[in-house]
Amino acid sequence: MPEQPPWWTRAVVYQVYPRSFQDSDGDGVGDLGGVLQRIDHLADLGVDVVWLSPVYPSPQADNGYDISDYRGVDPLFGTLEQLDELVAALHARGMKLVMDLVVNHTSDEHPWFVESRSSRDSPRRDWYWWRPPREGMAAGQPGAEPTNWHSHFSGSTWQYDEASGEYYLHLFAWKQPDLNWENPEVRQAVYAMMRWWLDRGVDGFRMDVINMISKDVAPDGSLQDGPPLPGLPYGDGTPYFSNGPRIHEYLQEMHREVFEERRDNLLLVGEMPGVTPEQARLYTDPARAEVDMVFQFEHVQLDLDGDKWHPRPLRMRDLKASFGRWQAGLADVGWNSLYWDNHDQPRAVSRFGDDSPRYRRDSATCLATLLHLHRGTPYVYQGEEIGMANFPFAALEQFRDVESLNHHVQAVAHGADPGEVLTVMRRMSRDNARTPVQWDASPNAGFTTGTPWIAVNPDHTEWNADAQREDPASVLAHHRRLIALRHEDPVVALGDFAMLLPQHDEVYAFTRSLDGDTLLVVCNLGGSPQPLGDLLPEAVSAEVVLGNLPEDDPAVLRPWEARVLRLP
């Protein structure tokens, strides 16, 4: 670490998914006016950075991750002036604003793509990945796609364009064509847009699937088929578009062109599915000047059997091995992002905790303690700070998420039982994260005066921010204490990490040490009391810095109890 560690080592980031945060105009969709209304909630929580999910103009084929204009705000969410106002309001309270940026792909309604699609001779044709059909096959036939790659949102990654007789590449939805980063004009246009946002006062970017921008393209321009996927007529293209051959070159170029002059106060986060700790060291090594930290997904795939629609029980030793590997891998170089929840994951208290009435509060605060005491920058997703849980989806009509709805169509078409498909969707759908924030006990939880775009969880009458604000034992109060601890105690921000009891199936324990000062963190991730005195005798006489339950027998760790202890 340099003499003065970066500011983000002691920071906590809060993710706002604006569509579901707060509606200010009664149309049932959250907006920037709503974020402005609730800004004191964020200040009271004590977070340092607000990461705003996309608010750019968009057809909303993928909830705003399909951008049709990089330099504006969708009227659904408000105006550019309101965004400027939000930047000013956050800065006035000592918080920063990080924008979500999607530059692997645009919307098919973006003027760049409209022009690219207009003819094979368009000057912007090469801004996207256009390819003829597979050799010897007629365009539009099944199997004539240029490669066999499977899209992240089901089906092929290639969409046939009848007018030109060619296909365009989309790793995600068909309305999200991939930009061709091989073209320097594309890169310069992206960098110019990023500088424009920084000039407006934005404090950095969280860059969506940024490790997919470099495709492994042959000298003749061709792309290769991926290994076949069992049970599907497609192959896995990941080896040819994830962490590709020019990815470091592109990120270093972006750093030089966009960030170099204003480096100190910005935050640059790369979302990188499938990244390994070894790769993350390269991406986050300050000497290489790429990004400050990455989002990786290893720990949120441990309870999946192949894909998210085949969940399995989480084994605690797998979680320890994963977190431990990332803590060790980035111990001396680079930096971790820490999260349980985001807009793409089901709610942590339902998934990794116990959302039954008996243990919901305790497991939510236990999981938060475990996460925030690791080395890295913690991310709180809206509603997590009040213990929001999964929604009790009862019918297909209640879902809104394109990924979930596509999965239902495909799974049922392939013979799956619709009831079983619905059961798994209820547990794993991204919509669990997207139900409106529960501000109070009123009919729409204080989110809107209109009809919410997705139903409010019926448990909001009991679980809401108003009910927790003045309650010192609440999930909200516990998050405040965890955030304050990172601000105040250098051991939490910078201390070395050491895993203890790696094979224990319920107690998650570790130490953080800095300059002779050591914190011992013990968490019981289960419903049975654990004999802490036998497992870690040094814990019994240690000073309690922070706990999630009232102090009791120091030798016993109660169900879902977490303690942060200072060793003598």
Side-chain angles (χ1 to χ4, degrees), residues 8-15 45-49 299 323 327 335-341 348 363-386 475-495 497 508 510-512 519 521 523 525 546 562-564:
W8 35 257
T9 55
R10 51 187 186 278
V12 177
V13 182
Y14 185 96
Q15 183 189 355
L45 187 56
V47 295
D48 306 272
V49 181
H299 66 294
F323 275 176
Q327 290 285 304
W335 197 249
N336 278 286
S337 299
L338 309 170
Y339 73 93
W340 291 121
D341 269 339
S363 68
T365 51
C366 181
L367 288 170
T369 307
L370 186 156
L371 190 81
H372 282 249
L373 267 292
H374 278 71
R375 180 183 164 98
T377 298
Y379 287 69
V380 177
Y381 177 67
Q382 63 185 41
E384 186 178 358
E385 78 277 20
I386 55 171
V475 179
L476 181 59
H478 192 75
H479 272 87
R480 275 193 214 112
R481 288 193 289 272
L482 286 169
I483 292 165
L485 187 64
R486 176 167 289 269
H487 291 162
E488 293 155 13
D489 193 332
V491 184
V492 178
L494 300 168
F497 174 96
Y508 192 117
F510 56 94
T511 56
R512 300 289 310 284
L519 295 176
V521 182
C523 304
L525 300 185
L546 186 148
R563 287 183 215 155
V564 181

Side-chain angles (χ1 to χ4, degrees), residues 239-350:
Y240 304 108
F241 61 69
S242 188
N243 307 300
R246 298 183 68 186
I247 184 67
H248 295 290
E249 175 195 337
Y250 294 157
L251 289 175
Q252 288 167 12
E253 179 183 71
M254 177 192 287
H255 202 286
R256 281 194 309 275
E257 302 252 348
V258 181
F259 306 122
E260 201 100 300
E261 300 303 309
R262 21 185 163 199
R263 193 58 204 94
D264 292 346
N265 296 308
L266 300 181
L267 181 63
L268 317 174
V269 187
E271 186 211 27
M272 300 191 179
V275 72
T276 65
E278 294 71 31
Q279 291 165 334
R281 276 176 77 95
L282 298 176
Y283 286 122
T284 63
D285 179 350
R288 294 171 58 88
E290 297 186 21
V291 296
D292 296 324
M293 58 190 81
V294 302
F295 271 139
Q296 51 88 10
F297 295 88
E298 191 178 292
H299 66 294
V300 291
Q301 291 168 338
L302 297 172
D303 59 344
L304 310 180
D305 194 0
D307 66 36
K308 73 185 287 175
W309 306 116
H310 295 88
R312 63 182 181 198
L314 174 70
R315 288 182 3 160
M316 191 49 54
R317 59 186 70 183
D318 291 347
L319 182 69
K320 291 180 189 182
S322 174
F323 275 176
R325 186 162 57 249
W326 279 88
Q327 290 285 304
L330 302 182
D332 54 337
V333 170
W335 197 249
N336 278 286
S337 299
L338 309 170
Y339 73 93
W340 291 121
D341 269 339
N342 61 36
H343 62 288
D344 284 336
Q345 303 294 334
R347 289 285 179 181
V349 71
S350 302

